[in-house]
């Protein structure tokens, strides 16, 4: 098969799969429609996960999803950068057809919005009676534009609307639907409130709030995209003395901090590893929340990345593998249920 044709087929496979589910839901009994949890890492290379051969970073929760479900060995993202890859996923179209084809910035905040005519998987699922929520990084249209999350099928959004803002893990603000949420103690002057932790709280709350109805939960986490920054807690301490390190001097928080900009980091390898493990722990918390609400037996969980790893903010590629012609990424699908609707345990595709 022609390589480029093969890539185009694979990089929209998940979107086509979700579109098929959304169509089928119209004919299904409300009680049997599966919940869908789609977790998408940011700039994670497939070599960053234990289940794909990583030995330096602990990713036990994601590895468990693969061991209980299906692991894809030949799977490609929509493209090599954030916004068009997300556009491919949301629309099911490759980058020759999807509306957003690059990271086109809009001032003072946001990116090129999806057009009013563009239909997304979230819109179809919403029409089918699903509660829909997105928590993380959007990048497909600012608030009050045709591409805003509430215009593209999401009942609730919390996180970074603008990709530039997400280059800071201690940003000035986040967005909750159309409301700008100011983060006290940040202001680019100090590391006060850690955005991924705030977003994770809202993610888990969405599951609790919608446990009695079918839902589509989209989690485009900002982890582990640069900047390399985070609390020096247990996730960081487990790697603090694990690597030969060279400090990175960056655009630090303070009076001269800018957006976009990447802060300096004393131990870049340790910080990056901690960010991957933190993301893995957040995945584990989502699975546990589903379990607590007795939802695992009727929930499809998909984990993947928006594109491959990048060398930004001293995110040195000592762990990841990136292809030059296209972007090969990890993809894991798990549905913890027995019977004819289950996925083969530990199967590779």
């Amino acid at each position: 098969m022609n390589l480029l044709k093969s890539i185009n087929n694979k990089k929209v496979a998940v979107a086509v799969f979700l579109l098929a589910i959304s169509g089928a839901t119209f004919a299904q009994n409300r009680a049997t429609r599966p919940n869908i949890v789609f977790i998408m890492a940011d700039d994670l290379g497939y070599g960053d996960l234990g289940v794909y051969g990583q030995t330096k970073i602990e990713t036990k929760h994601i590895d468990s999803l693969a061991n209980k479900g299906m692991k894809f060995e030949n799977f490609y993202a929509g493209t090599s950068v954030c916004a068009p890859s997300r556009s491919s996923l949301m629309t099911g179209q490759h980058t020759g057809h999807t509306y957003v084809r690059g990271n086109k910035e809009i001032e003072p905040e946001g990116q090129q919005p999806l057009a009013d005519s563009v239909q997304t998987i979230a819109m179809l699922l919403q029409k089918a009676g699903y509660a829909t929520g997105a928590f993380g990084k959007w990048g497909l249209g600012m608030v009050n534009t045709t591409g805003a999350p509430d215009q593209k099928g999401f009942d609730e959004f919390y996180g970074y609307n603008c990709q530039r803002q997400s280059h800071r893990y201690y940003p000035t603000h986040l967005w909750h639907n159309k409301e700008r949420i100011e983060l006290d103690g940040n202001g680019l002057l100090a590391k006060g409130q850690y955005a991924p932790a705030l977003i994770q709280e809202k993610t888990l709350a969405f599951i609790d709030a919608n446990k009695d109805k079918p839902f589509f939960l989209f989690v485009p986490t900002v982890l582990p995209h640069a900047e390399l920054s985070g609390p020096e807690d247990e996730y960081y301490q487990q790697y603090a003395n694990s690597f030969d390190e060279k400090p990175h001097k960056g655009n630090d928080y303070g009076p001269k901090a800018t957006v976009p900009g990447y802060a300096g980091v004393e131990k870049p390898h340790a910080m990056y590893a901690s960010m991957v493990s933190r993301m893995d722990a957040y995945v584990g918390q989502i699975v546990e929340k589903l379990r607590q609400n007795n939802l695992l037996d009727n929930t499809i969980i998909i984990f993947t990345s928006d594109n491959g790893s990048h060398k930004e903010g001293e995110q040195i590629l000592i762990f990841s593998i990136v292809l030059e012609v296209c972007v090969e990424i990890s993809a894991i699908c798990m549905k913890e249920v027995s019977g004819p609707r289950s996925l083969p345990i530990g199967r590779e595709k």
Side-chain angles (χ1 to χ4, degrees):
M1 180 182 291
N2 177 273
L3 175 61
L4 292 179
K5 182 178 179 181
S6 174
I7 291 168
N8 285 340
N9 288 340
K10 291 161 187 168
K11 66 188 178 181
V12 298
V14 169
V16 172
F17 169 67
L18 291 176
L19 289 167
I21 290 175
S22 67
T25 57
F26 284 101
Q28 285 186 317
N29 182 281
R30 183 179 181 85
T32 63
R33 283 182 263 178
N35 303 309
I36 304 166
V37 176
F38 196 103
I39 306 167
M40 186 168 67
D42 200 344
D43 282 10
L44 181 81
Y46 68 78
D48 290 336
L49 301 177
V51 71
Y52 287 94
Q54 174 59 243
T55 61
K56 297 180 175 68
I57 306 175
E58 183 178 283
T59 56
K60 61 184 179 181
H61 299 290
I62 297 170
D63 296 348
S64 177
L65 290 181
N67 292 332
K68 293 177 181 178
M70 183 180 294
K71 181 182 75 172
F72 291 79
E73 296 279 7
N74 192 13
F75 186 90
Y76 295 87
T79 189
S80 58
V81 291
C82 297
S85 184
R86 284 162 169 71
S87 183
S88 287
L89 173 66
M90 286 289 106
T91 64
Q93 297 173 314
H94 62 64
T95 47
H97 287 164
T98 200
Y99 190 81
V100 174
R101 304 183 190 184
N103 285 340
K104 184 178 179 180
E105 305 299 329
I106 303 296
E107 296 295 345
E109 184 175 356
Q111 283 71 42
Q112 176 189 18
L114 290 170
D116 182 63
S117 60
V118 173
Q119 186 166 242
T120 69
I121 177 62
M123 296 167 71
L124 294 177
L125 288 167
Q126 193 178 54
K127 290 177 183 177
Y130 273 64
T132 55
F135 301 87
K137 184 175 91 173
W138 180 242
L140 294 174
M142 187 55 187
V143 171
N144 296 322
T145 71
T146 57
D150 67 316
Q151 297 300 305
K152 291 305 169 191
F154 287 103
D155 301 322
E156 182 177 10
F157 171 79
Y158 185 89
Y160 298 90
N161 181 289
C162 175
Q163 294 175 169
R164 295 192 307 281
Q165 296 290 331
S166 72
H167 291 182
R168 292 293 190 177
Y169 279 90
Y170 299 87
T172 58
H173 66 281
L174 295 172
W175 288 91
H176 189 196
N177 299 325
K178 293 184 178 182
E179 181 183 1
R180 176 172 164 142
I181 307 298
E182 300 295 335
L183 300 185
D184 295 338
N186 286 11
L188 296 183
L189 297 174
K191 295 182 178 181
Q193 299 189 64
Y194 184 59
L198 301 176
I199 294 168
Q200 178 71 355
E201 290 177 7
K202 294 292 186 181
T203 302
L204 300 177
F206 176 86
I207 297 173
D208 283 334
N210 295 282
K211 62 184 179 181
D212 296 324
K213 64 186 76 168
F215 61 78
F216 172 45
L217 172 58
F218 179 43
V219 188
T221 175
V222 293
L223 292 165
H225 193 292
E227 64 183 1
L228 301 186
S229 186
E232 294 188 4
D233 54 12
E234 67 271 22
Y235 300 111
Y236 177 79
Q237 294 304 325
Q238 74 181 103
Y239 302 110
N241 300 307
S242 298
F243 309 105
D244 292 331
E245 301 276 14
K246 180 181 178 181
H248 169 65
K249 183 176 177 57
N251 182 224
D252 291 334
Y253 289 86
K256 296 183 179 181
T258 61
V259 173
Y262 299 133
V265 56
E266 187 70 20
K267 295 183 177 181
H269 298 340
M271 184 57 73
Y272 181 76
S274 75
M275 292 165 71
V276 174
S277 286
R278 188 183 307 278
M279 175 193 68
D280 178 72
Y282 287 175
V283 171
Q285 291 172 14
I286 290 171
V287 174
E288 180 57 28
K289 180 62 71 174
L290 292 169
R291 191 185 309 278
Q292 291 172 2
N293 284 298
N294 297 313
L295 297 174
L296 268 182
D297 63 348
N298 196 39
T299 300
I300 297 170
I301 304 171
I302 301 169
F303 176 87
T304 190
S305 180
D306 65 341
N307 42 250
S309 206
H310 281 256
K311 188 177 180 181
E312 294 183 72
E314 206 60 17
Q315 185 178 326
I316 300 174
L317 308 179
I318 63 168
F319 306 121
S320 304
I321 302 171
V322 180
L323 300 185
E324 293 182 1
V325 178
C326 50
V327 183
E328 188 166 7
I329 58 173
S330 57
I332 295 165
C333 183
M334 193 277 278
K335 190 173 191 300
E336 194 170 288
V337 59
S338 58
R341 299 174 66 196
S342 64
L343 288 173
I345 294 176
R347 182 173 174 182
E348 297 182 357
K349 292 291 286 182

